[in-house]
Amino acid sequence: MNRNLIILLLIFLSKLSNAQQELLSFDEHNKYIYYGVNEMQGLSADTLHNRGLLFLKTLFPRVVFKSPLKNINILCDGKFLTYSGSSVFKHEQGEVNYSLNIEFKDEKYRFWLTNFTYIPYERDRYGNFVPKLGKEMALESINNELSKKESDAYLNETGLFCKQFAERLKIYLLNIPKKEEKLKKIVTDKW
Amino acid sequence: MKKTLLMLGALALTAFTYSAQASVMPADTGKAAAAATPAPTPDPPLVFSGSVDTYYKYDFSGKPSIPTSFANEQNSFSIGMIDLGLKKTVGNASFVGELSFGPRGQYESLPDALGKTLVGSSYHIQNLYVSYNLSSKFNLSMGYMATYIGYEVISPAANFNYSTSYLFTNGPFQNAGFKATYTFSDKVSLMAGIFNDYWNVYQSGSKVNTFGAQLTLTPIKDWTAYINLATGPASGTEIDLTTNYQITSAFKLGLNAADFSAGEGYTGGFSGVALYPQLAVSKAVTLGLRAEYFTTKTGTYAPVGPGSGNSVMGYTFTANIKAGPLTIIPEIRLDSSSKSEIFPGSTSGSFTSSASQFVFAAVYAF
């Protein structure tokens, strides 16, 4: 009985540690991919495209668009930073670069993030953390360059980033924030 | 009792695991989430970083003989410094404050303790500046900043070799001033600035008349070159080339070449070149060599190293062994000069034309 419980505990623990990592799958080219398709009832492809563009420009202003903005589908490159240390004492540890594809059709869209690469950061003489020269590595092969603990951590962070990206994109496409209305002023000299 | 505890533990973990999985499951209905609006990406957090270093050094002459900066204490377990850096960015504005405590970060490199004693050494500033991005390509910075000149720096965490070169020791450590950097493309950027009349000072002698510039070139991926200039009537003129090329994933080649002409009241100067080949032989171990030629020009200016008109050649063999944030650095260094003048010999008052030392250092960066 005890042995069974311990095995059960170990299984749960290992599943917990791999929770984010498992969000990434492999595509037909053996590259990590995060893929999603969602229905958007009542929304045209154009509306979804415009909201998607606004989403990226607002929340990911540093993405570099690789396709003309008028194209119905979006192709761009982006990156996010990884941090080391606790929530109070921490610094940039590296960046994960990715390619993002979003395709829109009436009442649905699909997207995928892929071509993940990792660049470790180092501290420069001015106290800034900057990309280490010549150390860009594909996420699929970071096991060859980094320890298992480090590579697992970056895979987990990438999985978590993709999951959060997908959630935010969906929220934005469903419920685009309205532009701020002009502030109504109360005139006190009139009843 | 044991069984009950195990059961409770298992249940708690089940609940925890389930909640962790649920929180990463992609939302598939969209309805519940539709009420919320994503917040814009927040500013980066307060960045806290630094390093701690300590070393053992043995000079084979039995007394400290190689005159370059740091790792000087003979047959001694000694300390370098604890270095603490803070950086915060809000919108386009940033500050960096970096404090250091210990010989390397106080009287061995900072200007307020020229008496070579910790007594009265109250300044600990390595970097203290603010900067503002006028656009994504144009940055302005003002304050006391690590120099833009040269290959090596004060922080041991940013150097491959633990001991330092003659070019480093004789070049500027910090420049206080105001500089503007414009990035023309991902291959070219240019910095130009005006700095205090002397290097390594928190305040000017009386003038702000050193002009500085740095042209950064990235001709191909993984190769960066910096062409640097600092020129002023009092501080003299230094022209410097610093470059790094990661030729393969395992092999990197660095180069530093500089020429210095002394300022008002002096003649002469120095020039030199140092080559830094480094080879990663495993995930954890990198081997490297620093081969440096340094010569003092004929004149009245006396840099640290050979006398007027003489030269020195230094070979430093270094290994970096990484264990997470800790780097172990064993190092052997062999220097020889063109004349028997700069290296104290084993007998009192004698000088030799060569010197050698062993250093074993540990640097923890966080």
Side-chain angles (χ1 to χ4, degrees):
Chain A
M1 175 65 179
N2 279 357
R3 192 190 300 160
N4 289 342
L5 275 171
I6 288 166
I7 291 167
L8 213 58
L9 286 174
L10 289 173
I11 291 169
F12 282 134
L13 280 172
S14 80
K15 281 188 86 66
L16 183 66
S17 67
N18 290 323
Q20 320 301 342
Q21 199 173 324
E22 284 172 0
L23 291 168
L24 297 173
S25 310
F26 280 104
D27 69 4
E28 65 271 36
H29 309 295
N30 280 328
K31 281 177 165 286
Y32 278 117
I33 189 170
Y34 185 96
Y35 181 85
V37 188
N38 282 307
E39 304 279 328
M40 293 273 127
Q41 280 188 357
L43 294 172
S44 71
D46 279 345
T47 302
L48 290 171
H49 170 255
N50 290 335
R51 289 183 179 183
L53 272 183
L54 197 59
F55 166 76
L56 292 171
K57 287 179 177 174
T58 308
L59 299 184
F60 298 88
R62 291 187 179 169
V63 296
V64 179
F65 289 94
K66 296 290 184 184
S67 58
L69 297 184
K70 61 184 179 186
N71 281 13
I72 191 70
N73 298 325
I74 295 172
L75 173 61
C76 60
D77 290 342
K79 69 178 178 187
F80 67 90
L81 299 179
T82 64
Y83 288 87
S84 72
S86 67
S87 58
V88 180
F89 300 123
K90 64 180 179 180
H91 62 75
E92 301 96 327
Q93 194 164 41
E95 66 180 44
V96 176
N97 295 284
Y98 58 85
S99 296
L100 167 68
N101 292 267
I102 314 178
E103 293 183 358
F104 300 100
K105 288 193 172 177
D106 288 340
E107 300 197 331
K108 64 181 177 183
Y109 71 95
R110 68 173 186 156
F111 70 97
W112 62 99
L113 295 107
T114 188
N115 291 333
F116 298 105
T117 61
Y118 177 72
I119 305 176
Y121 274 23
E122 62 185 354
R123 200 173 76 155
D124 70 8
R125 58 186 69 200
Y126 310 112
N128 302 306
F129 282 85
V130 295
K132 214 169 182 176
L133 184 74
K135 289 293 177 190
E136 185 168 11
M137 51 194 100
L139 214 56
E140 294 79 15
S141 62
I142 54 170
N143 269 326
N144 303 334
E145 306 275 340
L146 304 174
S147 68
K148 184 168 173 7
K149 189 181 168 192
E150 287 173 313
S151 48
D152 281 354
Y154 299 134
L155 285 169
N156 284 336
E157 283 198 55
T158 305
L160 184 63
F161 170 82
C162 292
K163 172 194 149 279
Q164 288 173 345
F165 178 91
E167 287 173 355
R168 294 173 96 186
L169 175 64
K170 187 168 188 176
I171 290 168
Y172 213 90
L173 293 180
L174 279 168
N175 182 32
I176 188 160
K178 288 175 187 171
K179 283 186 178 171
E180 270 188 29
E181 289 178 9
K182 232 181 176 180
L183 190 66
K184 282 183 183 173
K185 291 183 180 174
I186 295 169
V187 180
T188 54
D189 59 351
K190 290 178 185 167
W191 284 84
Chain B
M1 180 63 184
K2 204 185 284 175
K3 203 179 284 179
T4 312
L5 279 173
L6 277 169
M7 284 291 279
L8 282 172
L11 281 172
L13 268 168
T14 309
F16 185 42
T17 308
Y18 180 76
S19 99
Q21 292 285 11
S23 73
V24 297
M25 292 277 274
D28 52 4
T29 65
K31 287 177 184 170
T37 301
T41 308
D43 288 315
L46 178 69
V47 168
F48 181 78
S49 64
S51 65
V52 169
D53 65 295
T54 177
Y55 69 94
Y56 169 81
K57 176 199 155 173
Y58 187 80
D59 193 301
F60 294 107
S61 70
K63 56 181 75 168
S65 61
I66 294 177
T68 52
S69 303
F70 317 138
N72 301 120
E73 290 157 16
Q74 164 62 5
N75 193 25
S76 168
F77 286 100
S78 294
I79 56 174
M81 65 179 183
I82 176 167
D83 187 41
L84 304 168
L86 286 176
K87 180 183 178 185
K88 178 66 182 169
T89 300
V90 175
N92 290 319
S94 304
F95 84 84
V96 170
E98 186 183 347
L99 303 169
S100 55
F101 303 87
R104 185 176 183 123
Q106 285 181 260
Y107 65 86
E108 288 181 359
S109 63
L110 294 183
D112 71 315
L114 296 176
K116 304 287 182 190
T117 167
L118 284 172
V119 177
S121 180
S122 58
Y123 286 98
H124 309 270
I125 306 295
Q126 295 284 349
N127 274 296
L128 196 163
Y129 67 90
V130 294
S131 69
Y132 190 81
N133 291 326
L134 287 175
S135 72
S136 61
K137 294 184 170 182
F138 193 30
N139 172 270
L140 302 175
S141 297
M142 186 175 82
Y144 185 72
M145 295 162 278
T147 188
Y148 53 93
I149 286 177
Y151 191 92
E152 299 178 18
V153 298
I154 293 173
S155 168
N159 287 339
F160 184 84
N161 310 99
Y162 191 74
S163 68
T164 56
S165 66
Y166 291 90
L167 285 171
F168 167 79
T169 299
N170 289 292
F173 290 172
Q174 277 106 355
N175 301 100
F178 176 84
K179 64 182 184 182
T181 306
Y182 190 81
T183 304
F184 294 94
S185 70
D186 56 0
K187 292 184 186 304
V188 182
S189 71
L190 179 68
M191 179 279 285
I194 189 78
F195 300 91
N196 282 347
D197 43 6
Y198 294 99
W199 303 340
N200 313 338
V201 292
Y202 295 115
Q203 62 181 75
S204 72
S206 61
K207 293 173 183 163
V208 179
N209 58 4
T210 297
F211 171 74
Q214 178 177 63
L215 177 65
T216 303
L217 301 170
T218 308
I220 56 173
K221 193 170 178 272
D222 301 337
W223 181 18
T224 304
Y226 306 92
I227 300 163
N228 305 308
L229 168 72
T231 182
S235 58
T237 298
E238 180 156 357
I239 301 168
D240 173 276
L241 167 69
T242 297
T243 182
N244 264 315
Y245 185 19
Q246 187 77 39
I247 296 170
T248 69
S249 62
F251 183 65
K252 184 168 103 170
L253 185 63
L255 172 82
N256 184 205
D259 181 83
F260 173 74
S261 299
E264 288 168 350
Y266 295 94
T267 57
F270 63 81
S271 58
V273 60
L275 206 58
Y276 299 82
Q278 289 157 15
L279 179 69
V281 293
S282 73
K283 281 183 194 177
V285 180
T286 303
L287 305 177
L289 167 71
R290 176 180 57 213
E292 182 185 21
Y293 172 77
F294 181 90
T295 182
T296 300
K297 297 177 184 174
T298 305
T300 57
Y301 184 79
V304 173
S308 174
N310 296 325
S311 62
V312 65
M313 190 77 211
Y315 296 96
T316 307
F317 302 91
T318 305
N320 278 196
I321 304 159
K322 298 236 175 231
L326 178 66
T327 306
I328 304 295
I329 309 176
E331 181 176 290
I332 293 275
R333 178 167 174 168
L334 312 165
D335 284 17
S336 60
S337 68
S338 56
K339 288 190 178 172
S340 304
E341 48 159 2
I342 61 169
F343 305 118
S346 50
T347 56
S348 180
S350 67
F351 289 89
T352 68
S353 61
S354 63
S356 52
Q357 69 178 30
F358 168 74
V359 172
F360 185 84
V363 179
Y364 187 100
F366 55 90

